[in-house]
Amino acid sequence: MDAATVIQSTKSGTTSHSYMKRKVPPSGHLEPIKGLGRRDKQAADKSALLRSALPVLRKQDIAKFRNSYKHNLCLDMLTEGFHLSFCELINLIRQQHERREAAGPESFIWTKPVLPDQPDKLEMMKMYLTRAEAASRIGHYLDEYQSRYDLAQSFKDNPDDQWLVDHFFTTCLEVAMKVPVEVGGKIQSEGHCNVGLCLQKRGNFREAAKHFEAYHKLAANYKNEWKMSNGTSFYTDSCIKLYHIYTIIGAELARSAEQEERDLSLETLKQALEMAKNSLDKKLEGEASFNLGMAFQKINDLDTALSHLFNFYESCQGDSNSEGIGRACDSIAKIYARQGNKEKSVEFLKRFVELTEKTGLEKEYCLACHNLGNVCNSVGNYDEATEYFSKAYNISRALGDPVSTNVNRVQYGIAMAHRMMGKFANHIVVGGKTCITRLAEWKSVRTDEFSKPIPDTVPGAAHHVVLPPPPAQKETAHEEEAEEEAHEMKETQDPSIEIIKPDSLEQNSE
């Protein structure tokens, strides 16, 4: 084939070479492939349909994905025109931040989540705050109060949100004060009550008392009209709350070192008793009488203290309050002991012991036995003192109370020593082989054999008479006879010979 034939066949397209390719369009893009299959066309149509369904994103829509939830929520509030709600929300967030910064990173509050990280709370606050602001604009203060009240109630279950509860209840009271008393007196009294409770939880008792007094003053004009959901009247509820706050303030003032504040404590406790009486609750009245009686006991006005404690004792008997009766018996017995009336003191303490033993109050029973042992020890009745201290010691050990166990152990040992003291001294005075042997054994192994009779083996041993303890039912008569016999023997005997009296007579003779 010559060169002309090759050139001609190339022009006509009959010859194809690998270096001969399709040229790319000038735009740089490949031309669409023609002749797509059915499946490819369906996929393309579906993609086009999906693209058409997508919304056109504006700048604001894109910002919602880029900004935080708090930022977007605040923008919505401002866009809708609720600038007061926005300011209140921002101030609350700032307050929380300042509290955390003041507490420091090592504090417990630092571990709690903050409001910007709690979208649910932010959304709820936005809803109620904007609703309250809208009601305030048109002068519907009752609706504004209700919105803020509902917002405070929604945070009540979480102790970490107590500061939010305080804030919204305070704003509830501010809104309620805008309403005339004739229309909004009830919500005003309710607002004072809620703020008082918040202050009481924070320990600000004086300010809480002022709000409870305002609550009581408003409720006093509508004793039978304003009632709570449980049927209790606002007036009764205000009396109960004032009783509690006055009792707390009275106890706080009683701990002061200044005489003026201690006097004020008595007046406050008297007000508490008056509020308890106005509430018509006999149990509260009895408790108030008990507190006032204990306050008079501290200032040594024992007669007045007894009158109030007997009121408490009678109220507990009417309610069959076993624990209260026990407290009353214990307190009355202590006052009688301070007055020197040991018989009355023992009588009420025995009531206390019997009551606690029947009701199964182990701690109270332990206390009753301890106190009765003290009184019996002080009057020289060492056998009963030993018995009751033994019971108190065993109960405190069973309860696992180390402090009470140590105290009762010591008192039990003292009572046993008092019971043995007279017989021990008699053995020392009498002397002799038997007495010395018993004393030596007691020193070694603490074997108490001093109650055994002393053999008459030494001269003059018969003169050292140990009188037997008198029976419990005729204690007074036998003591008087023993005293007379002792005096007769002392007059007939040699003055140098000492008569050893039993321990119970030694105490009574003093």
Side-chain angles (χ1 to χ4, degrees), residues 77-96:
M77 295 171 72
L78 290 174
T79 305
E80 295 169 6
F82 296 106
H83 61 283
L84 293 178
S85 301
F86 163 77
C87 292
E88 186 171 357
L89 179 61
I90 292 299
N91 286 332
L92 289 173
I93 294 174
R94 185 181 294 114
Q95 288 177 20
Q96 188 183 34

Side-chain angles (χ1 to χ4, degrees), residues 35-267:
L36 293 176
R38 183 168 57 86
R39 291 183 180 180
D40 295 334
K41 287 183 178 181
Q42 290 178 352
D45 294 341
K46 186 176 180 181
S47 299
L49 181 62
L50 290 175
R51 283 196 298 270
S52 63
L54 291 175
V56 179
L57 293 178
R58 300 173 300 170
K59 185 177 181 180
Q60 295 85 350
D61 299 329
I62 298 173
K64 287 184 178 180
F65 292 96
R66 292 180 175 178
N67 298 329
S68 64
Y69 187 87
K70 183 206 79 170
H71 184 88
N72 294 327
L73 183 134
C74 292
L75 285 178
D76 291 342
M77 295 171 72
L78 290 174
T79 305
E80 295 169 6
F82 296 106
H83 61 283
L84 293 178
S85 301
F86 163 77
C87 292
E88 186 171 357
L89 179 61
I90 292 299
N91 286 332
L92 289 173
I93 294 174
R94 185 181 294 114
Q95 288 177 20
Q96 188 183 34
H97 179 71
E98 291 174 354
R99 287 172 59 241
R100 292 178 78 250
E101 290 295 332
E106 297 180 356
S107 64
F108 183 70
I109 194 176
W110 197 271
T111 61
K112 300 296 180 182
V114 292
L115 284 176
D117 297 336
Q118 297 174 292
D120 294 339
K121 290 183 180 179
L122 290 176
E123 187 64 34
M124 182 170 57
M125 291 171 69
K126 174 196 171 185
M127 180 180 67
Y128 282 108
L129 287 176
T130 54
R131 187 183 299 174
E133 186 176 352
S136 177
R137 288 174 181 174
I138 58 178
H140 290 177
Y141 297 116
L142 295 178
D143 294 338
E144 181 184 3
Y145 174 87
Q146 188 62 42
S147 297
R148 291 185 173 275
Y149 179 84
D150 293 339
L151 188 56
Q153 290 289 344
S154 63
F155 290 111
K156 229 176 175 183
D157 296 333
N158 190 351
D160 297 332
D161 295 332
Q162 185 60 43
W163 66 283
L164 290 173
V165 177
D166 298 347
H167 170 79
F168 290 117
F169 273 141
T170 303
T171 57
C172 280
L173 180 58
E174 294 173 357
V175 173
M177 298 304 291
K178 300 177 183 179
V179 185
V181 179
E182 297 79 11
V183 179
K186 186 175 182 179
I187 64 172
Q188 286 184 17
S189 63
E190 188 179 66
H192 281 294
C193 175
N194 292 327
V195 173
L197 289 173
C198 292
L199 291 170
Q200 183 177 349
K201 285 183 180 179
R202 293 208 305 264
N204 196 346
F205 303 120
R206 306 290 180 88
E207 291 297 322
K210 293 179 182 178
H211 285 281
F212 287 143
E213 287 167 356
Y215 174 37
H216 179 266
K217 185 178 179 180
L218 288 169
N221 299 324
Y222 301 91
K223 292 183 180 180
N224 300 321
E225 298 178 16
W226 293 351
K227 293 188 180 293
M228 306 174 69
S229 58
N230 57 2
T232 306
S233 66
F234 276 32
Y235 177 75
T236 301
D237 185 65
S238 66
C239 292
I240 294 173
K241 286 181 169 55
L242 278 175
Y243 154 75
H244 286 297
I245 201 69
Y246 284 152
T247 302
I248 294 172
I249 294 174
E252 190 179 46
L253 290 172
R255 293 191 291 267
S256 175
E258 299 181 6
Q259 184 62 37
E260 183 179 354
E261 291 195 352
R262 289 201 295 267
D263 295 338
L264 184 60
S265 171
L266 280 177
E267 296 299 323

Side-chain angles (χ1 to χ4, degrees), residues 442-458:
W442 180 82
K443 285 286 186 181
S444 300
V445 294
R446 293 293 190 266
T447 302
D448 182 6
E449 296 184 353
F450 302 123
S451 299
K452 297 180 180 179
I454 303 174
D456 190 13
T457 56
V458 292

Side-chain angles (χ1 to χ4, degrees), residues 420-432 434-436 438-439 450-455 458 460-467 497-503 506:
M420 191 179 60
M421 182 174 56
K423 302 169 186 177
F424 179 85
N426 196 26
H427 277 67
I428 293 176
V429 173
V430 172
T434 304
C435 295
I436 296 301
R438 292 177 183 176
L439 290 171
F450 302 123
S451 299
K452 297 180 180 179
I454 303 174
V458 292
H463 299 299
H464 300 273
V465 180
V466 178
L467 299 177
I497 300 176
E498 182 182 0
I499 299 177
I500 305 299
K501 298 183 292 183
D503 44 7
E506 285 180 352

